[in-house]
Amino acid sequence: MPDAHDESVGSSAAAAEAPASRPSGPASAEARTDERRFRYYTVAVLPLSLLAAAAVSLWEPFEGSVHLWWIGPLLALAFLGAEQLGVNVDVRSGISWTISFTEIPLVIGFFVAPFEVVLAAHVVAGVTTLLARKVTGRVLYNAGAFIFEVTSAFAVAGLVKQALGSGQGEMPWLAALAGTLTAPLASTLLAMAAVRVLRRRMRVGTALRLAGRILVVGFVNASVGLTGYLVISKTPEAWPIVLAVSLGLAALYWAYSDLLREQRDMEALSDVSLMVARSGQQAAARPASLGDELGQEVDFGEWSTIAERIKDQLAAARVVLRLRLEPDEPMRSVVAGDELPVSFVRPDDPLLRLPGAHVRHFRVTEANPEVRAALLDRGAQESLVVPLRSANQLLGVVEAHDRLSRWRGFGKYDVQLLGTMASHLATALDNRRLLATLRHDAYHDPLTGLLNRPGFRQVAREPLRERVQSVVLRVDLDVFSQVSDALGYAWADRMVMAAGRRIRDVLGPEVSLARLEGASFAALLVGCLPDDAHRIAERLRAQLSAPYPVDRLTVEANAMVGYASTSSEENGHLVDVDTLLQRADMAVRATRGGEEVRGYVPSMGQIFLRRFQMVTQFRQALEEGQVTVHYQPKVSLPGKHVLGVEALVRWQHPEFGRVDPDEFVPAVEAAGLVGALTSFVLDKALDRVRRWLDEGLRISVAVNLSVRNLADEEFPVKVAAALDRFGVPAELLTFELTESGVMADPQRALPILRELHSLGIVLAVDDFGTGYSSLAYLRQLPVDQVKIDKSFVLGMGTDLGDLAVVRSIVELGHSLGLTVVAEGVEEDVARDQLEAMGCDVAQGYLISRPLSEERLEAWLQARTARSLGHHSEIVLTLLT
């Protein structure tokens, strides 16, 4: 019978029971609709059955007898006993079908009692059984079904009796047999109609097989009852044989019942396993969220279905699943069946503190006071309880309350089945817990607990897909590496955690926040306009730039914030989260120019695209001659002799035109291509020196080095090989290096510089005065020259401070025995001042701009005069 979750009360089909689960939302509305439809069905069945019973009663006049006072109760007891020997034959989708032995007292009733007595006995026995099993939700429907069964049976029996031409008081055995077989068929028709009313699915083939099975078993029961009655009525002494046959038949039915039960137990176990597997697959496919809460992992819809299936199979009044994924979390309850009288369970509840993982069977009459109180709190007379454990951790508890299908309670088969199901559920919960841990680790940063980049991508995907106005903020702290270098990674991690908390405090708990890497964070502001985003970014930067207490120190941090919005469209298509992150990162890098909060604009993308193109095309540019070397002369003071040139790289790009070195050299260096650039410039410069030597000119060349060159342990070997290859003396090669380049990693740079110096190569400190310069610094570096930064030289004529700095550098360099070179000399006044200070070498636009090789040769021809020096070498003197 539909919605039964229980075995039948009646001759052949199940009684119906009120729906146990309490779904919510659309499922609840559907359940209420089904309940209303079933009430209408009940209103139709019960009156029609009563009308049919009245018609049969008028057709079959009542024949009283003095024996009816004991025959009636005896029939009721027979019906009552037959109901308790029911055998479930099929359980599908919450619909339970039961075959009982009620055909036996029914067929006997045709011979010993009138219609009204048999009807009353059957209805009383059936309703009593329903009430004893606490099946109260469908009493009216089942009462109508009982009436319809007996009424249809006597109606068919009367028709067959008339067809056979029997007398008024005689009941032919064939008529009794036909009437008895009609009862289970009538009940089955009502049950199938109820299936349709409740919109449950049942295939035609399944319905026909079920009706055939019920008809066969009904025929056997009726035949046994009919044969036994006829034999005993004719030969009373044969009652032991009839009893033996009846007991044998009962034994066969019980064996058949056990086989069916094992089959159903296997099906139920398979169903639960499949439900658990599907639930795990759905959890695995679930996208990342702001947090993996237990409410998200324990889906009540999924676990309610599992609880209902367990309840169906155990024929329990209620099944309660108490679940959690972590030992320190509270248990969440899923109830199938009757509502719990008290939803709150005490922490010291004895049923939740059971050791082990095996099933316990408790009865109120046998339990100790604590367990008895716990059962009474649940409104249960008996309960099967099994803990769900993973190793030593309690993940949940399964409780089954009050078996309804027998006068007896739960049996050993119920214990075995629940134990097997519980082991599956425990494994499923353990796997779900492991899955939740893996999902959390996969989508969250282990240090801060915030989302990581993949998790942020997952969370942001849905709002962007729905075309919600959103803004991605990108935050960078610029002191993370310094703190980690100075105090260690542990203190830097503490600073990152503090920064994450500050961002969370500013943005609130509902905002998706991620730590991308290092001290870089990203946040998704859903429904935020760019103007609002800028104000939020300003507030965030101010909060993050407040000092951080680290290891009894106070660290001043500077936060840079960039943001990009979904309104930044291209060709009408909204950008995805990766593109927004990229654009926000561009905006952050654009803040390094001084402005600490920037919003993305399309021109930023063009700048970075241009830089990317330059990096990817650089090697090809070297091969195709797009990159050339220009030379800027350097002259001695006050003699104005041309001592050397500085090699400066230039790039004439076919698409971008002339590219400034300040633009492409940092990009090339960041891309790790500076080695190729240095080798190219060095080869070109040494080739030029070699040709001057062939002309009798000793002009040195200076090449700029990068910090990456000083990190290459093979660099001195490569330089020595180049000098040998071109046949250039080492003293005609000068390497210029910045102070910051050396101090970036002095432990690696200093040995390489010493090795270069030992080759005879001249080393010069470029941009002196702008970095880490100090007397101790100059003393430990193996340098021969210092170059005064042009910013000081350009300001000498108007700024007395710059003039004093230049004079101090000249005096310091000379005191250390170094040659002092001034770059940026653009006026005669500056040159004269440098001469007066005793500066050794001048370089700048006053002398010459950087020139290509051809123009340099022309300049040497036009602007210098050749003469013999003290050692008969050719000396070039600048003409004034």
Side-chain angles (χ1 to χ4, degrees), residues 591-662:
T591 63
R592 302 185 190 278
E595 191 176 356
E596 294 172 327
V597 174
R598 291 288 300 273
Y600 171 82
V601 292
S603 59
M604 293 180 183
Q606 296 299 322
I607 293 172
F608 285 100
L609 179 60
R610 172 185 169 111
R611 183 175 300 177
F612 174 75
Q613 288 179 305
M614 287 190 298
V615 169
T616 56
Q617 298 170 3
F618 183 71
R619 287 191 181 275
Q620 181 181 358
L622 292 177
E623 297 172 357
E624 294 180 354
Q626 299 174 19
V627 180
T628 58
V629 177
H630 287 207
Y631 302 92
Q632 186 174 31
K634 298 188 287 187
V635 299
S636 64
L637 295 176
K640 301 178 183 178
H641 301 316
V642 178
L643 301 179
V645 294
E646 181 179 0
L648 302 170
V649 67
R650 297 292 184 265
W651 186 357
Q652 187 69 29
H653 195 279
E655 180 182 352
F656 306 136
R658 183 175 178 179
V659 184
D660 192 273
D662 290 337

Side-chain angles (χ1 to χ4, degrees), residues 350-351 353-363 371 375 382-389 398-400 410 414-415 418-419:
L351 301 187
R353 295 184 289 109
L354 298 175
H358 56 280
V359 183
R360 270 76 163 200
H361 188 183
F362 298 111
R363 294 186 178 90
V371 173
L375 291 176
E382 69 168 337
S383 178
L384 296 181
V385 184
V386 54
L388 305 178
R389 294 187 180 276
V398 180
E399 302 177 18
F410 295 111
D414 301 312
V415 172
L418 186 59

Side-chain angles (χ1 to χ4, degrees), residues 234-489:
K234 300 296 182 182
T235 309
E237 296 82 4
W239 68 266
I241 299 176
V242 174
L243 178 62
V245 172
S246 300
L247 292 176
L249 179 63
L252 288 176
Y253 275 140
W254 278 111
Y256 181 53
S257 175
D258 289 341
L259 289 175
L260 289 177
R261 180 180 181 85
E262 291 179 5
Q263 177 187 355
R264 291 195 314 275
D265 288 350
M266 293 298 295
E267 291 176 352
L269 187 59
S270 175
D271 289 346
V272 170
S273 300
L274 290 175
M275 292 175 186
V276 168
R278 283 195 296 267
S279 175
Q281 292 171 357
Q282 293 170 359
R286 188 177 299 134
S289 58
L290 292 182
D292 289 334
E293 300 177 357
L294 181 63
Q296 296 171 337
E297 292 299 333
V298 180
D299 191 310
F300 285 100
E302 300 169 0
W303 292 96
S304 294
T305 305
I306 295 173
E308 286 285 356
R309 190 67 180 91
I310 297 175
K311 174 183 172 294
D312 290 344
Q313 194 58 29
L314 294 178
R318 181 195 306 121
V319 166
V320 182
L321 302 182
R322 306 185 191 274
L323 309 172
R324 66 183 178 190
L325 295 184
E326 295 297 336
D328 56 345
E329 293 178 343
M331 288 191 180
R332 308 288 293 274
S333 298
V334 179
V335 181
D338 300 339
E339 292 189 13
L340 284 169
V342 180
S343 59
F344 175 75
V345 178
R346 299 190 309 272
D348 60 343
D349 191 296
L351 301 187
L352 303 183
R353 295 184 289 109
L354 298 175
H358 56 280
V359 183
R360 270 76 163 200
H361 188 183
F362 298 111
R363 294 186 178 90
V364 169
T365 56
E366 302 172 358
N368 60 50
E370 290 185 354
V371 173
R372 183 183 303 112
L375 291 176
L376 294 177
D377 287 343
R378 292 163 169 79
Q381 296 299 309
E382 69 168 337
S383 178
L384 296 181
V385 184
V386 54
L388 305 178
R389 294 187 180 276
S390 170
N392 294 325
Q393 297 182 0
L394 180 65
L395 300 181
V397 176
V398 180
E399 302 177 18
H401 301 160
D402 295 338
R403 181 176 172 85
L404 301 177
S405 59
R406 299 284 185 271
W407 291 108
R408 61 181 176 82
F410 295 111
K412 65 175 184 179
Y413 294 114
D414 301 312
V415 172
Q416 293 173 358
L417 176 62
L418 186 59
T420 306
M421 287 183 173
S423 66
H424 282 259
L425 293 178
T427 302
L429 279 176
D430 194 26
N431 292 339
R432 186 69 62 85
R433 183 174 63 88
L434 177 60
L435 177 63
T437 302
L438 293 176
R439 282 170 52 80
H440 187 278
D441 293 346
Y443 291 124
H444 290 78
D445 173 57
L447 176 63
T448 62
L450 303 175
L451 294 168
N452 56 15
R453 187 182 293 271
F456 187 77
R457 185 183 294 114
Q458 288 278 353
V459 169
R461 184 172 298 163
E462 190 64 28
L464 297 181
R465 185 185 298 118
E466 295 176 354
R467 294 179 174 263
V468 176
Q469 175 69 44
S470 301
V471 173
V472 169
L473 288 177
R474 173 73 185 263
V475 182
D476 276 8
L477 297 180
D478 62 354
V479 296
F480 177 74
S481 58
Q482 291 91 324
V483 172
S484 62
D485 292 341
L487 302 177
Y489 284 106

Side-chain angles (χ1 to χ4, degrees), residues 443-776:
Y443 291 124
H444 290 78
D445 173 57
L447 176 63
T448 62
L450 303 175
L451 294 168
N452 56 15
R453 187 182 293 271
F456 187 77
R457 185 183 294 114
Q458 288 278 353
V459 169
R461 184 172 298 163
E462 190 64 28
L464 297 181
R465 185 185 298 118
E466 295 176 354
R467 294 179 174 263
V468 176
Q469 175 69 44
S470 301
V471 173
V472 169
L473 288 177
R474 173 73 185 263
V475 182
D476 276 8
L477 297 180
D478 62 354
V479 296
F480 177 74
S481 58
Q482 291 91 324
V483 172
S484 62
D485 292 341
L487 302 177
Y489 284 106
W491 293 104
D493 288 345
R494 294 183 185 181
M495 183 175 176
V496 169
M497 294 171 65
R501 288 192 294 269
R502 291 186 184 184
I503 298 175
R504 177 60 74 196
D505 292 340
V506 172
L507 299 182
E510 301 301 324
V511 173
S512 301
L513 179 60
R515 180 197 178 201
L516 302 180
E517 64 273 325
S520 297
F521 299 86
L524 176 67
L525 306 180
V526 179
C528 181
L529 298 176
D531 291 342
D532 297 331
H534 192 87
R535 287 192 292 270
I536 294 173
E538 289 282 5
R539 190 168 74 251
L540 189 61
R541 190 206 64 78
Q543 185 70 20
L544 290 175
S545 298
Y548 292 81
V550 178
D551 192 20
R552 298 183 301 278
L553 301 175
T554 300
V555 178
E556 297 288 341
N558 183 38
M560 294 161 290
V561 184
Y563 62 89
S565 69
T566 52
S567 60
S568 302
E569 300 183 15
E570 293 180 357
N571 300 325
H573 298 288
L574 288 176
V575 295
D576 58 14
V577 61
D578 291 322
T579 304
L580 284 176
L581 281 173
Q582 178 190 17
R583 291 179 175 180
D585 182 59
M586 293 180 190
V588 167
R589 283 188 278 174
T591 63
R592 302 185 190 278
E595 191 176 356
E596 294 172 327
V597 174
R598 291 288 300 273
Y600 171 82
V601 292
S603 59
M604 293 180 183
Q606 296 299 322
I607 293 172
F608 285 100
L609 179 60
R610 172 185 169 111
R611 183 175 300 177
F612 174 75
Q613 288 179 305
M614 287 190 298
V615 169
T616 56
Q617 298 170 3
F618 183 71
R619 287 191 181 275
Q620 181 181 358
L622 292 177
E623 297 172 357
E624 294 180 354
Q626 299 174 19
V627 180
T628 58
V629 177
H630 287 207
Y631 302 92
Q632 186 174 31
K634 298 188 287 187
V635 299
S636 64
L637 295 176
K640 301 178 183 178
H641 301 316
V642 178
L643 301 179
V645 294
E646 181 179 0
L648 302 170
V649 67
R650 297 292 184 265
W651 186 357
Q652 187 69 29
H653 195 279
E655 180 182 352
F656 306 136
R658 183 175 178 179
V659 184
D660 192 273
D662 290 337
E663 179 182 0
F664 74 83
V665 171
V668 168
E669 186 172 7
L673 299 174
V674 73
L677 176 60
T678 303
S679 298
F680 173 80
V681 175
L682 183 61
D683 288 349
K684 291 291 185 181
L686 293 180
D687 178 66
R688 180 67 268 180
V689 173
R690 177 67 264 170
R691 281 184 281 146
W692 280 329
L693 287 174
D694 293 341
E695 297 174 11
L697 298 174
R698 290 182 63 85
I699 300 177
S700 65
V701 65
V703 176
N704 289 283
L705 291 186
S706 165
V707 63
R708 292 183 179 270
N709 296 131
L710 300 180
D712 183 4
E713 297 179 354
E714 299 297 322
F715 183 67
V717 177
K718 297 176 183 177
V719 173
L723 291 172
D724 291 341
R725 186 167 65 254
F726 290 99
V728 175
E731 63 269 17
L732 294 182
L733 175 62
T734 300
F735 280 141
E736 296 184 1
L737 51 133
T738 61
E739 302 166 76
S740 58
V742 177
M743 297 306 295
D745 191 355
Q747 298 299 323
R748 299 184 65 178
L750 287 176
I752 294 176
L753 291 176
R754 293 190 180 102
E755 190 172 351
L756 291 173
H757 196 261
S758 67
L759 295 175
I761 297 171
V762 179
L763 299 180
V765 177
D766 200 4
D767 301 333
F768 189 79
T770 61
Y772 300 87
S773 307
S774 68
L775 181 61

